[in-house]
Amino acid sequence: MNAVGQPLARPDGRIKVTGAARYTADFDRPDKLHAVLVTAPAAGQLTSLATEEAAHSPGVVRILTQADLPQFIPVPVPLMFSLPPMQNDTIRFEGQPVAIVLAETLEQAEAATHRVRVTIAPAEVKAPGQSNPRPPASDSGYIFAEVDAANGDLAAGFSQATHRIAAEYMQPSRHHNAMEPHATLAWWEGENLVVHDATQWTAGTQQMLATTLGLAPERVRVICPHTGGGFGSKGFPKWHTLFAASAARVSGRPVKLVLSRAQMYTMTGYQPLTHHRIELGASPDGRLTALRYDSVNVTSSTEDYVESATQAGRAMYAVPALETHERVEEITAGAPTPLRAPGGGASGMWALESAMDELAHALGMDPLELRLRNHADVDPVSGKPWSSKNLLEAYALGAERFGWHHRPARAERDGDWMVGWGMASATMGSFRLPAAARVTLRANGTALIESSFNDIGTGVFVIFSQLVGDALGLPPHRVEIRNGDSTLPEACGTFGSASAMCVGAALLDACRQIRASLGEVDPLALLRRSGRESEAALGRFSPGDGVQLEIDGGASPTAMRTWGAVFVEVGVDRALGLLRLRKMLGSYSVGRVLNPRTTKSQLIGAMIWGWGMATMEASLFEPRLGRFLSKNLVGVPLPVNADIPAVDAVWVDEVDEIASATGGKGVGEIGVVGVAPAVANAVFHATGLRVRELPILPERLLAED
Amino acid sequence: MLTGRMEFREQLDLTFKVNGREHSISLDARVTLLDALREYLGLTGTKKGCNFGECGTCTVHLDGRRVNACLVLAAAAAGREITTIEGLADERDMLHPVQQAFVDQDAFQCGFCTPGQIMSAVACIAEGHTRSDAEIREWMSGNLCRCAAYPQIVAAVRQAAGD
Amino acid sequence: MQGFTYARAAGVSEALAAGREPGTAFLAGGTELLNWMRLEIATPARVLDIAHLSGLDAIETLPDGGLRVGALARLNDVALAPAVVARVPVLSQAILSAASAQIRNLATIGGNLLQKTRCPYFRAEEMLPCNKKQPGSGCAARDGLNDRHAIFGWSDTCVATHPSDPAVALAALDAAVITARGGGGRRIPINEFYLPPDAGQDRNSVLEQGELITAIEIPGSAPRSTYIKIRERESYEYATVSVAVALDLDVWRRIARARIALGSVAARPWRLTGAEQALAGLQPGAAAIAAAVECGFAEARPLAHNAYKIALGRNLVLRAIRLVAEMTP
């Protein structure tokens, strides 16, 4: 049977289009209390917290402050933010929670929060640009790639260069802005804790709660079958989950806590403002001789989050001499957290692919040709072969479909619009984590998958049913799936584009065991002949002995990444500062595509994220008040339907059995990568304006005359 | 239902028709139509995305017109007809053509914005704002989708409009 | 939200009587009021629902070619009314560029005029220095992140802009706001409707407590008119800057009358009266147009981060003049 590779529809379609799919806030418990957080209006010292008036408001049952909460046992970063919540009077950032209002109704709880008087002796605000960049602490917990790296002789490399580009690029802080607000519904059954939590990592929430509350993990059950988008913001557990559990304990009643949209801007993480400085040296034929890449990202005073943008410089092109440095700069804000395609994905490639375009222009060379000249056949630093890489084919496929080679040499005028074309490479790191899944083949001709993975919309239900269906000789619609429950075998978090690879591999391992037990050919028939009801196996995947997280192939014999190219056509109206998309095409080398329907949707969705990054998204930090200025979807615009007239994604046929037994790699994030620089490069082509700061707003494009 | 004398009340006895069924509940004046549906009528198909009318996730039909339920007081909706996502499929539980089109065109991913998208799409088609893809895009722009399934949503609306 | 009491008004006189009492807010579409209450920008003790008062949502043509639009007419209904599209396309376009379809189905044309600013300091969940919300606390935007704020008519007290699109079109059309009041209603020219930014605690218009907008009258038609709105995304967003232009051309295609209003540049729609005077008699394609338009910007005073609004505003006006000149109404 060959369900894998077919564009089958998602089996979760019906429940999602009928509103029957339940997300965390849709669940309920009798006698529950609503919890709403009170937050600090500024960083500094909490000098007084007056809860009397609020406590006597109608319907308010209790207002919890730090006095009501236990000493939480610290959790290793990054499992949760390093700052323990509500444990002392030091407020590190605007929006830090200081009290929890518990009331019978949501209206009563919300109204009461406005009656709590929070007084802060304000601390001096550190805004971006005011502190010296420094290396991150070596035990920061957020170091996923080299902080300082060097390869070859940089000075020699630059001295050999005939062409040199040195430029600084900037991207602002950006929030994930998932449509579903973070939420937790928690209650205790004796000494056991049960929570519904909007999460990308069932086991992560379980571990965090068990650790902070001093419970054996088996005493904590986490349930989350569907998550309304995460994009990284629901990857590592957050404080509100702990608050809900604690409030349930203290009050003796179930507690439902749903963050407001505004609170999602202060306590669920963000991608930090990053300054990139890139220097490229090249010889007349365009081959890079040297690359230096310095990146500085802002971080909170509580932890050193490292964006690792410079990873792009070490992974993308064959350059004989390179040096990269990651630095951080403290600001008075909450802690960042990974955001879709972090590091040497969207962040690093924004800078690198802009610099490459500037180099192509300096050389008078086709930007695509420059990329081809610098293609890395092996990992540029380690020299390891790639587990798979068909980027050259992806460049060619994309260029052909887009019509890159037929584009006019100069920008064309279309009425009031100048039309420009731009391209950029794309690459995304590969994350492999341990995963487990149980498969049960039943004599009635169905199978059951059980694993704690989460559904954030990536299409896991359909691709897993395809994998198991093919492996056991069943049609996919006869594969039932139970997910999102910590009582099920533990899957890795649904982040890092890892689920298909790792949970998929665990599923195939389980099926392999079932076939080994029953027989390779037609295991179902053999099961029926045996007279037994079912045959089950627990499958596992591990990237290596004791390895909890393997990045880009880690210590294995091959390097692993995904690859692509983005081609963009934009229109710029210089008089009015308007930048609008005309068409965008992504062409990818991402391993075996298990389901072309869901893969295309993932890639396109991610590319639209890239458009938002390029043209509108920014969470501006107010430098005197020390806060994200706009904490709402008006002040922080995201792409709307009308922004996207034509976007497509194609890919090369490829199978990578090293990365995963499924033959596939992750596709959830790479679509974001390369879009912002392709857009900026197209703007340059259209106007001659080189924009090095995102987002590319009207005021940056206005004609000066 | 409020008739006769104009009397200001903090707690109101309200009657709604939701998906063809009458419901009578006593509510605080502050309760929005969105929270009335979700918290008091057990209809959690309509989702809350931002509670400020800035995302369209909570779109329902009020007297046949699409609106953001978070911007309507339950008291203001009393006596009117409300249709939610739960009211679209027919008595035999067959999917509404728009729901089917969303499945056919893979017009959702995480699914959180999907009920609002579908309610908006049903209205968009009824309004006649589907004469071109550009018109569909513009008239569906009141529904944010962070998974960014926009092209598939347009294809779904086009398919259903053509039915 | 703080608690409040709710009632539905059965008729206009009842509404006026009840509305006079301080702490009473009229509820029409609710697309602004509910958010003000969530942010405690407004904390009415009584909410009086006027949304279904009969007779206040009609769109009628007037003998002079103009229109009388009932204040409770929903935005989408106004925008799509054939008479509006034909007679004053600038108003239809302005409305359709506003908000989203869902919001336009709820929001009323009368309520829309009473929108409050989108200044992010004003709209913050927390109390930031804001003279509108707390007189004397200062204006955080004055020397803060003011790239979206006013370039005309601001003072150190407040640099906020008015965000309504329909109001800009109505300003260019010389519309009048018709009100009802206990002691007798009034007819307020829209260009006298809004108060300067330092008028006092969050008072944006001349309306008194309990005064009800009943209709908007547009004198004459303006078929040669258009609205252009600039924003970084294509829809569902407030303007960075916008323009409404209505031109009357004589038989020689010279400008007999130009009416130009800019949006999101001041605490009210800003008529460029200086430009309008200078444009009279010119042909739309003439070289002198640019200098004439420039007259409208003589009073422009940028803040630290919004000088671009001057160039953008100027280019917008020029573009709109060109577009309406090309129209065949």
Side-chain angles (χ1 to χ4, degrees), chain A residues 676-694:
Chain A
V679 171
N681 298 341
V683 168
F684 176 75
H685 183 247
T687 66
L689 276 177
R690 172 58 65 180
V691 180
R692 300 193 180 95
E693 293 188 354
L694 295 177

Side-chain angles (χ1 to χ4, degrees), chain A residues 358-383:
Chain A
E358 298 201 50
L359 177 61
H361 184 73
L363 287 163
M365 182 180 290
D366 178 331
L368 175 56
E369 182 60 34
L370 180 64
R371 277 34 176 227
L372 299 178
R373 300 254 171 114
N374 289 287
H375 181 263
D377 295 326
V378 296
D379 182 294
V381 175
S382 70

Side-chain angles (χ1 to χ4, degrees), chain A residues 10 14 23 26 601 609 639, chain B residues 47 49 93 106 110 146 150:
Chain A
R10 303 172 198 242
R14 196 188 165 89
Y23 303 81
D26 300 332
S601 294
W609 264 66
Chain B
K47 311 300 179 193
D93 233 18
D106 207 44
C110 81
R146 194 49 164 158
Y150 293 135

